[in-house]
Amino acid sequence: VIDFRSDNTHGASPEILEAVMRAAAGTSTSYAGDPITARVRQRCRDLFETDLEIFPVVTGTAGNALAIATLTPPFGGVFCHEDAHILRDELGAAEFFSGGARLIPIPGNDGKLTPDALSAAIRDLALADPAMPACLSLTNATEAGTVYSPAHLTSLGNVARSEMLGIHMDGARFANAVAATGASPADLTWRAGVDLLSFGATKNGALAAELLIVFRPALFLKSLAPRWHRSGHRLSKTRFISAQFEAYLTGDLWLRNARHANAAAQRLAEGVAGIEGVEIIREVEANVVFLRLTEAIAERLQKAEILCFDWPIFGENAYRFVTAFDTRDDEIDQLLAILR
Amino acid sequence: VIDFRSDNTHGASPEILEAVMRAAAGTSTSYAGDPITARVRQRCRDLFETDLEIFPVVTGTAGNALAIATLTPPFGGVFCHEDAHILRDELGAAEFFSGGARLIPIPGNDGKLTPDALSAAIRDLALADPAMPACLSLTNATEAGTVYSPAHLTSLGNVARSEMLGIHMDGARFANAVAATGASPADLTWRAGVDLLSFGATKNGALAAELLIVFRPALFLKSLAPRWHRSGHRLSKTRFISAQFEAYLTGDLWLRNARHANAAAQRLAEGVAGIEGVEIIREVEANVVFLRLTEAIAERLQKAEILCFDWPIFGENAYRFVTAFDTRDDEIDQLLAILR
Amino acid sequence: VIDFRSDNTHGASPEILEAVMRAAAGTSTSYAGDPITARVRQRCRDLFETDLEIFPVVTGTAGNALAIATLTPPFGGVFCHEDAHILRDELGAAEFFSGGARLIPIPGNDGKLTPDALSAAIRDLALADPAMPACLSLTNATEAGTVYSPAHLTSLGNVARSEMLGIHMDGARFANAVAATGASPADLTWRAGVDLLSFGATKNGALAAELLIVFRPALFLKSLAPRWHRSGHRLSKTRFISAQFEAYLTGDLWLRNARHANAAAQRLAEGVAGIEGVEIIREVEANVVFLRLTEAIAERLQKAEILCFDWPIFGENAYRFVTAFDTRDDEIDQLLAILR
Amino acid sequence: VIDFRSDNTHGASPEILEAVMRAAAGTSTSYAGDPITARVRQRCRDLFETDLEIFPVVTGTAGNALAIATLTPPFGGVFCHEDAHILRDELGAAEFFSGGARLIPIPGNDGKLTPDALSAAIRDLALADPAMPACLSLTNATEAGTVYSPAHLTSLGNVARSEMLGIHMDGARFANAVAATGASPADLTWRAGVDLLSFGATKNGALAAELLIVFRPALFLKSLAPRWHRSGHRLSKTRFISAQFEAYLTGDLWLRNARHANAAAQRLAEGVAGIEGVEIIREVEANVVFLRLTEAIAERLQKAEILCFDWPIFGENAYRFVTAFDTRDDEIDQLLAILR
């Protein structure tokens, strides 16, 4: 069995496991009052080069929904890509946490929004009374395996700011975006206008660890902190999430893991070039590869116990292959051998 | 420093840490489709001697709020003790998850409800239109450190059933209740009428692991499963919660830990008998001890860095001491030495 | 000034006003326990040829949102036309009342859904986790001024039933649909599968009167009745809504008013045939006429104080003209004179 | 039959009915854009001697719940009297509209809160995490038939303001409070700190008309206006509510009606003085009289078809008698004759 279904089917980096072990010694103030969480907060301030506050949680859905509820009143509209995870995969988490906000899907090439499409969607909203414009939610790296540049994000941020929208970034694969662009975390977030970032580690070598990062704490803490608590996402032993992040951000483990996964995806993308019956559907910029395969090839994969997901929203015979922090070169090569 | 603030300030049992390590190897189906979760489900069926379904989550608040939302429509009333965690400590989680249900506090001695008090509260609700009777939520071991017997639970369950109420049990310290009563898990839950149990491990040696157990799956799954997902409590790597539970339920670790904590509380309770200026406020049946202390004694504790919480709802100069799976006899003895 | 902006800018039928006057005499049991409401309930049972329950409310939004919340759990999906009032004009009422359900827009010619489009939308929903299929909401007469036939509704109802969807009908202009089709109220509703009907009178000569009609009371009352109360839509003096309906349903006032409005729309549609610079955009089947006008004509209308709404979702230079129970022939003729 | 069940079982003042008739002529901008609503807005500004905004609705529950949702975040606490209508009679409307806020009941003599009791409740809330202090809701005239003076309100307002609470007043019987105290509407509301007033007319001679009055529009409109719309309480023909209020506020009809009802209650209170077997339970300050009656007397009332409600929360054999704008002296005298 080789598993390309998702980066969340993989295990955890040894450094992260060791950090969890160490954190288990002794007693510690609960509900995020512990010293490990304090150190992670400071580490994030350094990494993002700004003041910020952190809310450790265990799922991307929690981070996303808490962020959207903080930026969006119950009668607000949230602009997002039509393939966005918050729209398609979270069973109405955004609606639940916000008290009934409306997600407004926007089409876009390769998983990315354009400033023009965003402007048009904002204008369309004003033609009737579906919702009040409130929030822009972006995913980076995107659900299509592509990556926003700082310049692209800034141009979207400018549109959003001029319409008084708050900005959320779903960074379930934020490390992959930083690794792919080489841009600074600051340039990919608050310098482009992002207010709240769901900074994921789970898909990149953690057990279950996400940080909801608040870049303008004075504006958002009063609303966000109680929502974190009452949604059941404030762990008594938060230190065990923070310990994962401390290891994640130490010695650039997060970037090493992401670079590894991105490189594996590139190896796959380069390997399939020229193979008959295999078509790359979306540009490969991070750690996700979408391929259109003939049925014969798809059957060979199944027989060889190569696991991947079919991806019908990208058309017929579309499949998604995700590489991870621990995907090995020989696994890619075995996959390529079968595709050929 | 000796820490009696809460059982959730403590770390984790080595067996549980090792299980998490082991679970990190290889890839596994995400979102609770993994084999460890399957084994835990079966283990729970054996332990509770009935069919059931499990929803692994990371906080008691999540389990409680999901359970209450499943049993209670938005216009429903939830009867609970006036000291209940769901009422006092979860910042409206029950209201949030249910869409605005009403918690109905009921007074009761030693943290426990009586059938008469419950009946009276149900009758009172019918005098006006505050909410429609829907749910009974019980905590065992209680917030007052006491324990319900199977007979007591059954008498409450009979009242609730005759009024068509669903029954939830907050079992953040369920292991302590089983250890204290010697009753079977089945007798303390579904045989007494409990529909959903928040079965906690976090306070008793786990990192962050709770199981929401559904005793009548056919009735409740359709509503509960999507709520679990959209509340952000369905972890992609659920196996890491399940691994904790597998270790917890292996070789009776859960009961050994609970017995240890309960015994430490007894050692404390017996030790303070006869000390001047120290009064035991609530009967000590599990792992929580409430003491009324003179101010002089309280100051001595503080100076000695003995940590505990003051507990003003139990009157002036009231303090809570919680013992844990790893509280040592010498820690109790040091505390006693200072109290004397 | 001649007003074609909406049927809700018009006043009230004298019969309805007189009924309100009469209802003001004496005292009466409040909260819908009065005899007028009882008579209207019986009248509706006769009219719809079935058992049913009624919930008088004062807005279509209230009726729609209560219906959808009754048929749809918080995690449910509601299929509706992309132009549906519930989607575009109610500022998230459906999301609010349901606790965060998702509206799923479906494209369709002339405001109507097709069974194939509905089936496709249900299938698409299953590709990911946006929401659980729960409800179909239809509008008749539609927002495009067209009308569903009983056969069309039955074919949609069959698809919905086979997928276990509840069915809601927004009948803000139900009278216009009955008048246009000549079909029986039963054939246009429960015989085609409709569970709950928002039966409007406000747009057709009432002051503010809508009935939420429940065709399968045993299934839905327990959830609907408390929602009606807690949403603030259970009037203490409900008799004043019911009085309007009693007059509305007496001597076929509702159909006479609707036939009048429909005929005025036909007069307009026939009158514009062949006028250069005027294009009928949607088939005229009820009391709403959509016209595409040259800018010169639009300016002439404005100068002549002929009021109508521009309707940009139907393309450039699109305008909506609504006729009402009291629109006069000479008003249509004046409009035609200016259009020519 | 003589009806003392509630002021909401009564009909409507002729002046109000005539105003509704008149308003039915011609067409008018819908959704509160009409000239009658504009005149009522101005009339309220004059009456309350300040800038303000109005939201016409048809029930007190709607006004109350919209106000509370505007002042209270989903995780907020609302302090109110333990007999408050919002707590006991609205089936969780406040929880529904706010997204899950918590009502905090405070005991108090004669339906009124004291500043000390309010301060104590605010302090108690801080002992745990049930909710964040957000709102104070007062009823005037109270549910006990008593009346707050401006000085009393100011002392409560000062406590609330010092704790940053928003203040809502349930004025279902506001006219009765103004009539009873002789104080100015301004002194009874915003000068004492009230932010939002549910100003009722329904119980005092209207068909169904309440104004939610916003005293600090700049602070609250952005949140309130969309809630009004999405809750289904923004009537297309709002002019028919406004017309009722225009008549209500013309020639002091509102005060004349209230003085009449208050005088009838006084006549009753004075008449029962000294009757054996009849005890006045609460001080009679407005138009509600609570009497404790022997069973023999209660039976005589029933036999004579004198309608009233039993009121068990005020103890055994307690009954409520409400007088209205059209209660006649001879009706009071007949009641007295039977009580004697």
Side-chain angles (χ1 to χ4, degrees):
Chain A
V1 172
I2 311 180
D3 193 342
F4 295 104
R5 289 176 296 177
S6 177
D7 25 16
N8 66 30
T9 63
H10 290 250
S13 286
E15 296 89 334
I16 286 174
L17 288 167
E18 284 154 25
V20 168
M21 299 299 105
R22 279 196 307 272
T27 73
S28 197
T29 301
S30 46
Y31 296 113
D34 64 278
I36 305 178
T37 302
R39 292 198 302 263
V40 170
R41 181 184 299 110
Q42 187 53 52
R43 179 74 186 87
C44 286
R45 286 175 181 163
D46 295 343
L47 180 66
F48 284 90
E49 307 169 52
T50 188
D51 188 32
L52 54 74
E53 189 45 77
I54 61 169
F55 291 87
V57 295
V58 291
T59 65
T61 294
N64 292 340
L66 285 168
I68 286 168
T70 300
L71 297 173
T72 314
F75 44 81
V78 180
F79 300 94
C80 64
H81 192 277
E82 64 183 352
D83 297 341
H85 199 269
I86 61 165
L87 183 76
R88 292 181 46 80
D89 298 302
E90 303 186 354
L91 244 173
E95 286 92 336
F96 171 40
F97 280 64
S98 66
R102 176 78 59 86
L103 302 186
I104 318 281
I106 303 177
N109 289 334
D110 284 343
K112 288 187 258 186
L113 299 181
T114 65
D116 284 354
L118 174 59
S119 295
I122 296 170
R123 273 197 312 273
D124 281 356
L125 204 67
L127 297 181
D129 283 316
M132 314 287 277
C135 180
L136 168 65
S137 179
L138 300 167
T139 311
N140 202 20
T142 76
E143 288 83 0
T146 57
V147 171
Y148 282 108
S149 69
H152 193 156
L153 291 171
T154 299
S155 65
L156 288 167
N158 288 342
V159 172
R161 281 286 172 250
S162 72
E163 302 283 345
M164 307 286 289
L165 305 183
I167 307 178
H168 162 247
M169 179 171 282
D170 177 349
R173 296 190 181 98
F174 186 70
N176 304 88
V178 173
T181 58
S184 77
D187 284 348
L188 284 169
T189 56
W190 63 272
R191 284 208 190 104
V194 172
D195 295 303
L196 287 97
L197 168 70
S198 303
F199 181 17
T202 309
K203 284 177 152 70
N204 192 32
L207 301 161
E210 313 276 316
L211 286 187
L212 179 50
I213 294 186
V214 185
F215 290 114
R216 301 200 286 172
L219 279 182
F220 300 119
L221 282 202
K222 205 178 152 185
S223 168
L224 177 46
R227 294 178 195 275
W228 178 49
H229 185 139
R230 79 196 307 244
S231 64
H233 286 292
R234 185 183 184 189
L235 270 66
S236 58
K237 300 183 179 174
T238 291
R239 60 172 149 161
F240 290 117
I241 307 178
S242 300
Q244 295 178 64
F245 256 98
E246 190 166 42
Y248 190 60
L249 298 177
T250 295
D252 275 350
L253 174 64
W254 68 298
L255 289 177
R256 281 185 283 130
N257 277 359
R259 283 181 197 127
H260 179 98
N262 287 3
Q266 284 304 327
R267 185 182 189 93
L268 172 55
E270 287 161 17
V272 299
I275 301 183
E276 198 167 349
V278 178
E279 175 200 351
I280 297 182
I281 303 175
R282 291 288 185 278
E283 202 160 343
V284 178
E285 296 178 344
N287 67 321
V288 187
V289 179
F290 293 95
L291 299 179
R292 200 170 324 278
L293 305 176
T294 63
E295 286 181 24
I297 294 178
E299 273 172 36
R300 290 207 306 268
L301 286 180
Q302 200 174 353
K303 198 170 291 176
E305 294 191 283
I306 308 275
L307 306 179
C308 63
F309 284 140
D310 60 333
W311 214 252
I313 61 165
F314 284 178
E316 293 212 343
N317 303 317
Y319 296 88
R320 190 185 79 163
F321 298 80
V322 186
T323 54
F325 73 97
D326 59 352
T327 300
R328 298 187 316 271
D329 281 0
D330 72 274
E331 293 180 312
I332 300 292
D333 294 344
Q334 285 183 60
L335 167 58
L336 288 170
I338 292 161
L339 290 174
R340 278 189 202 110
Chain B
V1 172
I2 310 179
D3 193 342
F4 295 104
R5 288 176 296 177
S6 177
D7 27 15
N8 66 28
T9 64
H10 290 248
S13 287
E15 295 90 332
I16 286 175
L17 288 167
E18 282 154 26
V20 169
M21 299 298 105
R22 279 196 306 274
T27 74
S28 197
T29 300
S30 46
Y31 297 112
D34 63 278
I36 304 177
T37 302
R39 292 196 302 263
V40 170
R41 180 184 298 110
Q42 188 53 51
R43 179 73 186 85
C44 286
R45 287 175 181 163
D46 296 342
L47 181 64
F48 285 90
E49 308 169 53
T50 188
D51 188 30
L52 54 76
E53 189 46 79
I54 60 169
F55 291 87
V57 294
V58 290
T59 64
T61 295
N64 293 340
L66 285 167
I68 287 168
T70 300
L71 297 173
T72 315
F75 43 83
V78 180
F79 300 94
C80 63
H81 192 276
E82 62 183 352
D83 298 339
H85 200 269
I86 60 165
L87 182 76
R88 294 182 43 82
D89 297 302
E90 303 186 355
L91 243 173
E95 287 92 335
F96 171 41
F97 280 64
S98 65
R102 177 78 60 87
L103 302 187
I104 317 282
I106 303 178
N109 288 334
D110 284 343
K112 287 187 257 186
L113 299 181
T114 65
D116 284 353
L118 174 60
S119 294
I122 296 170
R123 274 197 312 272
D124 281 354
L125 205 67
L127 297 182
D129 283 315
M132 313 287 277
C135 180
L136 169 64
S137 179
L138 300 167
T139 310
N140 202 18
T142 75
E143 288 82 0
T146 56
V147 172
Y148 281 109
S149 69
H152 192 157
L153 291 170
T154 299
S155 65
L156 288 167
N158 288 343
V159 173
R161 279 286 172 251
S162 72
E163 302 283 345
M164 307 287 287
L165 306 183
I167 307 179
H168 162 247
M169 179 172 282
D170 177 350
R173 296 190 179 98
F174 186 70
N176 304 89
V178 174
T181 58
S184 78
D187 284 347
L188 284 168
T189 57
W190 64 272
R191 283 205 192 108
V194 172
D195 295 302
L196 288 97
L197 167 70
S198 303
F199 182 17
T202 309
K203 285 177 152 71
N204 191 32
L207 301 161
E210 313 276 316
L211 284 188
L212 179 50
I213 295 187
V214 185
F215 290 113
R216 300 199 287 173
L219 280 183
F220 299 119
L221 282 202
K222 206 179 153 186
S223 168
L224 178 47
R227 294 177 195 273
W228 178 50
H229 185 139
R230 78 195 308 243
S231 64
H233 286 291
R234 186 182 182 190
L235 270 65
S236 57
K237 300 182 178 175
T238 291
R239 59 170 149 160
F240 290 117
I241 307 178
S242 300
Q244 295 177 64
F245 256 97
E246 191 167 39
Y248 190 61
L249 298 176
T250 296
D252 275 349
L253 174 63
W254 68 298
L255 288 177
R256 282 185 284 129
N257 278 357
R259 282 179 199 129
H260 179 98
N262 287 3
Q266 285 303 329
R267 185 182 188 93
L268 173 54
E270 288 160 17
V272 298
I275 301 184
E276 197 167 349
V278 178
E279 175 199 352
I280 296 181
I281 304 175
R282 291 289 184 278
E283 203 159 344
V284 177
E285 297 178 343
N287 66 321
V288 187
V289 179
F290 293 95
L291 300 179
R292 200 171 323 278
L293 304 177
T294 63
E295 285 180 26
I297 294 178
E299 272 172 37
R300 290 207 306 267
L301 286 180
Q302 199 173 354
K303 198 170 289 177
E305 297 190 280
I306 308 276
L307 305 180
C308 64
F309 283 140
D310 60 333
W311 214 253
I313 61 167
F314 283 178
E316 291 212 346
N317 302 317
Y319 296 87
R320 190 185 79 165
F321 297 80
V322 187
T323 54
F325 72 98
D326 59 353
T327 299
R328 299 188 315 272
D329 281 359
D330 71 273
E331 292 179 314
I332 300 292
D333 294 343
Q334 284 183 60
L335 168 57
L336 288 170
I338 292 161
L339 290 175
R340 276 185 205 114
Chain C
V1 171
I2 310 179
D3 193 341
F4 295 104
R5 288 176 296 177
S6 177
D7 27 16
N8 66 29
T9 64
H10 291 251
S13 286
E15 296 90 333
I16 286 174
L17 288 167
E18 284 153 24
V20 169
M21 298 301 103
R22 279 195 308 275
T27 72
S28 198
T29 300
S30 47
Y31 296 112
D34 64 278
I36 306 178
T37 302
R39 293 197 301 265
V40 170
R41 181 184 296 110
Q42 187 52 51
R43 178 74 186 87
C44 286
R45 286 176 181 162
D46 295 342
L47 181 66
F48 284 90
E49 308 170 50
T50 189
D51 187 32
L52 55 75
E53 190 46 76
I54 60 168
F55 291 86
V57 294
V58 290
T59 64
T61 295
N64 293 340
L66 285 168
I68 287 168
T70 300
L71 297 173
T72 314
F75 44 82
V78 180
F79 299 94
C80 63
H81 192 276
E82 63 184 350
D83 298 339
H85 199 269
I86 60 165
L87 182 75
R88 293 180 46 80
D89 297 302
E90 303 186 354
L91 244 173
E95 286 93 336
F96 171 40
F97 280 64
S98 65
R102 177 78 58 88
L103 302 186
I104 317 282
I106 303 178
N109 290 333
D110 285 343
K112 288 187 257 186
L113 299 181
T114 64
D116 284 354
L118 174 59
S119 295
I122 296 170
R123 274 197 310 273
D124 282 356
L125 206 67
L127 297 181
D129 283 316
M132 313 287 276
C135 180
L136 169 64
S137 179
L138 300 167
T139 311
N140 201 19
T142 75
E143 288 82 0
T146 56
V147 172
Y148 281 107
S149 68
H152 192 156
L153 290 171
T154 300
S155 65
L156 288 167
N158 289 342
V159 172
R161 281 285 173 252
S162 72
E163 301 284 345
M164 307 286 288
L165 305 183
I167 306 180
H168 162 247
M169 179 171 283
D170 177 349
R173 296 190 180 97
F174 186 69
N176 304 88
V178 173
T181 57
S184 76
D187 284 348
L188 284 168
T189 55
W190 63 271
R191 285 209 191 103
V194 172
D195 296 301
L196 287 97
L197 168 68
S198 304
F199 181 16
T202 309
K203 285 177 153 70
N204 192 34
L207 301 161
E210 314 276 317
L211 285 187
L212 180 50
I213 295 186
V214 185
F215 291 113
R216 300 199 285 173
L219 279 182
F220 300 119
L221 283 202
K222 205 179 153 186
S223 168
L224 177 46
R227 294 178 194 273
W228 179 50
H229 185 139
R230 78 197 305 246
S231 64
H233 286 291
R234 186 183 183 188
L235 270 64
S236 56
K237 299 183 178 175
T238 291
R239 57 171 150 161
F240 291 116
I241 307 178
S242 300
Q244 297 178 64
F245 255 96
E246 190 166 39
Y248 191 61
L249 298 177
T250 296
D252 275 351
L253 175 63
W254 68 298
L255 289 177
R256 282 186 283 130
N257 277 358
R259 284 180 197 127
H260 179 98
N262 287 5
Q266 284 303 327
R267 185 180 188 92
L268 173 55
E270 288 161 16
V272 299
I275 301 183
E276 197 168 348
V278 178
E279 176 200 349
I280 296 182
I281 302 175
R282 290 289 185 280
E283 205 160 343
V284 177
E285 298 178 342
N287 67 322
V288 188
V289 180
F290 293 94
L291 299 179
R292 198 171 324 278
L293 305 177
T294 63
E295 285 181 23
I297 294 178
E299 274 172 33
R300 290 208 305 269
L301 286 179
Q302 199 174 352
K303 199 172 288 177
E305 297 191 279
I306 308 276
L307 305 180
C308 65
F309 284 141
D310 60 332
W311 214 252
I313 60 166
F314 283 179
E316 292 212 345
N317 303 317
Y319 296 88
R320 190 185 79 164
F321 297 80
V322 186
T323 55
F325 72 98
D326 61 352
T327 299
R328 300 188 313 272
D329 281 0
D330 70 274
E331 292 180 314
I332 301 291
D333 295 343
Q334 283 185 61
L335 167 57
L336 288 171
I338 292 161
L339 291 174
R340 278 188 202 113
Chain D
V1 172
I2 310 179
D3 193 342
F4 295 103
R5 287 176 296 177
S6 176
D7 26 17
N8 66 30
T9 64
H10 291 250
S13 287
E15 296 91 332
I16 285 174
L17 288 167
E18 284 155 24
V20 168
M21 299 299 103
R22 279 196 307 275
T27 72
S28 197
T29 300
S30 47
Y31 297 112
D34 64 277
I36 305 178
T37 302
R39 292 198 302 265
V40 169
R41 182 184 296 111
Q42 187 53 52
R43 179 74 185 87
C44 286
R45 287 176 181 163
D46 296 342
L47 181 66
F48 285 91
E49 309 169 52
T50 188
D51 188 32
L52 54 75
E53 190 47 79
I54 60 169
F55 291 86
V57 295
V58 291
T59 64
T61 296
N64 292 341
L66 285 168
I68 287 168
T70 300
L71 297 173
T72 314
F75 44 81
V78 180
F79 299 94
C80 64
H81 193 277
E82 63 184 350
D83 297 340
H85 200 268
I86 60 166
L87 182 75
R88 292 182 44 82
D89 297 302
E90 303 186 354
L91 244 172
E95 285 92 336
F96 171 39
F97 280 64
S98 65
R102 176 79 59 87
L103 302 186
I104 317 282
I106 303 178
N109 289 333
D110 284 342
K112 287 187 260 186
L113 299 181
T114 64
D116 284 353
L118 174 59
S119 294
I122 296 170
R123 273 198 310 273
D124 281 356
L125 206 66
L127 296 181
D129 282 315
M132 313 286 278
C135 181
L136 169 64
S137 180
L138 301 167
T139 311
N140 201 19
T142 74
E143 288 82 1
T146 56
V147 171
Y148 281 109
S149 68
H152 192 157
L153 290 170
T154 299
S155 65
L156 288 167
N158 288 342
V159 172
R161 280 286 173 250
S162 72
E163 301 284 345
M164 308 287 289
L165 305 183
I167 306 179
H168 162 248
M169 179 172 282
D170 177 348
R173 296 190 179 99
F174 186 69
N176 304 88
V178 174
T181 57
S184 76
D187 284 348
L188 284 169
T189 55
W190 63 272
R191 284 207 191 108
V194 172
D195 295 302
L196 287 97
L197 169 69
S198 304
F199 181 18
T202 308
K203 285 177 153 71
N204 191 32
L207 302 160
E210 313 276 317
L211 284 187
L212 179 50
I213 294 187
V214 186
F215 291 113
R216 301 199 285 174
L219 279 182
F220 300 119
L221 283 202
K222 206 179 153 185
S223 168
L224 177 47
R227 293 177 195 273
W228 179 49
H229 185 139
R230 79 196 308 244
S231 64
H233 287 291
R234 186 183 183 189
L235 270 66
S236 57
K237 299 183 178 176
T238 291
R239 58 171 150 160
F240 291 116
I241 307 177
S242 299
Q244 296 178 63
F245 256 97
E246 190 166 39
Y248 190 60
L249 297 177
T250 296
D252 275 351
L253 175 62
W254 69 298
L255 289 177
R256 281 185 285 130
N257 277 359
R259 283 181 197 127
H260 180 99
N262 287 4
Q266 285 302 327
R267 185 182 189 91
L268 173 55
E270 288 161 15
V272 299
I275 301 182
E276 197 167 350
V278 179
E279 175 199 351
I280 297 182
I281 303 176
R282 291 288 185 277
E283 202 159 345
V284 177
E285 297 178 344
N287 67 321
V288 188
V289 179
F290 292 94
L291 300 178
R292 198 170 324 278
L293 305 177
T294 62
E295 284 181 25
I297 295 178
E299 273 171 35
R300 290 208 306 268
L301 286 180
Q302 200 174 352
K303 199 171 290 177
E305 296 191 280
I306 308 275
L307 306 179
C308 64
F309 284 141
D310 59 332
W311 214 251
I313 60 166
F314 284 178
E316 291 212 346
N317 304 316
Y319 296 88
R320 191 186 78 163
F321 298 80
V322 186
T323 54
F325 72 98
D326 60 352
T327 298
R328 298 188 315 272
D329 281 359
D330 71 273
E331 293 179 314
I332 300 292
D333 295 343
Q334 284 183 60
L335 168 57
L336 288 171
I338 293 162
L339 290 174
R340 275 185 205 115

